[in-house]
């Protein structure tokens, strides 16, 4: 594993929050060895205390903590410090988890067991965006991550595996021109499925055009 380039403007300060002691030791040891300023919290209460006294660039947060869920904690911390980017460490990076995390403003979801190459790429990307462009680019990357997750949905997932609530959440999270978003709970499942199929095609088209 190679250290990050030394010509980067500033190493992001990271708040690592996880109740998994083994995972905490592995992540903190790796990131500290690469030169990242890092503080560790083992639950939400400790994270709140640390964040009250210091500014963090990235919150690397476990999906389930002993006293809170990771997305809810990030929402709280981000309200206090809007510059913080969030990365959720989840048991699985399925669509529901990604939609929930991205909907709360988190930048990425990484699945366990961790691929440290992927994790370092995610952290490096967040650092680069913060150093160069600021919050606008973070928002763009967040939207693209959500659109990619929706574009990757299979027909079987939309038609059979996703619940009505998950279909509604997908429709509301994207900037798709649909006039009935405030009345989605009154729509039947067939209508929700057809709208999500349209959104999936819309996301695929946007991603295809953005690659040119």
């Amino acid at each position: 594993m190679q250290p990050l380039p030394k010509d980067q403007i500033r190493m992001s300060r990271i708040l690592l929050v996880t109740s998994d002691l083994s995972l905490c030791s592995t992540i903190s040891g790796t990131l500290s060895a690469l030169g990242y300023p890092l503080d560790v919290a083992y639950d939400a209460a400790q994270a709140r205390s640390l964040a009250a006294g210091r500014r963090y660039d990235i919150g690397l947060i476990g999906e389930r903590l002993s006293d809170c869920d990771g997305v809810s904690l990030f929402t709280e911390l981000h309200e206090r410090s809007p510059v913080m980017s969030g990365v959720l460490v989840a048991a699985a990076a399925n669509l529901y988890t990604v939609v929930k995390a991205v909907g709360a403003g988190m930048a990425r979801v990484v699945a366990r067991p961790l691929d440290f190459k992927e994790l370092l790429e995610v952290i490096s990307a967040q650092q680069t965006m913060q150093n160069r462009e600021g919050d606008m680019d973070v928002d763009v990357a967040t939207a693209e991550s959500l659109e990619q997750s929706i574009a990757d949905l299979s027909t079987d997932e939309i038609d059979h595996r996703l619940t009505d609530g998950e279909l509604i959440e997908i429709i509301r999270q994207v900037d798709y021109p649909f006039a009935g978003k405030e009345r989605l709970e009154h729509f039947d499942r067939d209508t929700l499925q057809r709208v999500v199929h349209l959104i999936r095609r819309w996301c695929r088209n946007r991603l295809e055009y953005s690659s040119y």
Side-chain angles (χ1 to χ4, degrees), residues 35-72:
Y36 282 101
L38 178 79
D39 290 325
V40 175
Y42 298 102
D43 55 34
Q46 290 181 348
R48 295 185 191 104
S49 178
L50 288 169
R54 174 169 282 172
R55 174 185 179 277
Y56 293 96
D57 301 297
I58 298 173
L60 186 58
I61 305 174
E63 182 180 15
R64 299 193 182 281
L65 307 172
S66 60
D67 56 349
C68 185
D69 74 88
V71 174
S72 296

Side-chain angles (χ1 to χ4, degrees), residues 3 13 24 30 63 78 92 96 134-135 148 156 160 169 178 186:
R13 178 169 290 279
C24 179
T30 300
E63 182 180 15
H78 192 254
Y96 178 76
D135 292 338
Q148 185 63 64
D156 179 67
H160 302 293
E169 192 164 3
F178 179 69
H186 302 290

